[in-house]
Amino acid sequence: MHFIETEGFALKYNNQKKSAAELYGLVIIDLAAIILAYVFAVHLRFGSISVLSKGELHFTVCLELMLISLGFSLIMDWNSNFLERGYFVEFLTILKYDIIMLLAISVTLFMLKQAEFFSRLVFGYFFVFNLLITLILHLILKRLLKRYLRSEYCRVQNMLVTEASYAEDT
């Protein structure tokens, strides 16, 4: 009996694991970054976060930002090739994502006639905070995913059982 390791199947299996971990990990990280950035932006603008609990405008805007991000992540697949991207490309990708998200929320607030009640400083602070927080969290996740995918736990090995005469042919 001989043991022959085939890498084609193992590579395919790892790619399936990798894409699922990337998708769900990045969606969760992006949503957490939006919440953190929005809370920081409101706190910096108004001096406290009690404004978040008083009116429904800030809650609605944060929820809309999360829905826009979720839709953008699932429909546009902007996180493809996440593990292969370098630092600068990651920064540019997140910058594009932030710009599109701010444009979408601006149009949404305008259409709902809530734009005049919303602080433009919160927009600016949110943009900067979300860019930084998302970039930091993406880089941390990238490092963790690379470590996980190289670990023994994620490695797949196949065993082929055959007679010695057939093993030499393969």
Side-chain angles (χ1 to χ4, degrees), residues 45-121:
R45 167 63 178 95
F46 296 108
S48 77
I49 58 171
S50 62
V51 177
L52 293 173
S53 63
K54 288 181 183 172
E56 64 183 44
L57 176 66
H58 290 288
F59 176 76
T60 305
V61 169
C62 188
L63 185 63
E64 289 170 0
L65 284 167
M66 292 171 62
L67 289 174
I68 290 167
S69 173
L70 185 63
F72 190 71
S73 294
L74 296 177
I75 293 171
M76 299 300 291
D77 192 27
W78 74 280
N79 283 318
S80 62
N81 300 325
F82 171 69
L83 291 175
E84 291 82 24
R85 293 192 298 230
Y87 295 123
F88 185 68
V89 175
E90 187 70 31
F91 173 77
L92 290 178
T93 305
I94 294 172
L95 183 65
K96 289 177 197 174
Y97 158 74
D98 251 11
I99 290 170
I100 290 171
M101 202 164 53
L102 282 180
L103 289 174
I105 194 67
S106 297
V107 169
T108 304
L109 287 175
F110 177 76
M111 298 293 274
L112 295 175
K113 296 182 181 178
Q114 295 178 338
E116 63 190 46
F117 305 114
F118 194 73
S119 172
R120 288 179 295 278
L121 278 176

Side-chain angles (χ1 to χ4, degrees), residues 7-20:
E7 293 185 10
F9 179 75
L11 185 62
K12 181 180 177 188
Y13 182 75
N14 281 340
N15 283 341
Q16 289 172 351
K17 267 189 169 180
K18 180 179 82 167
S19 63

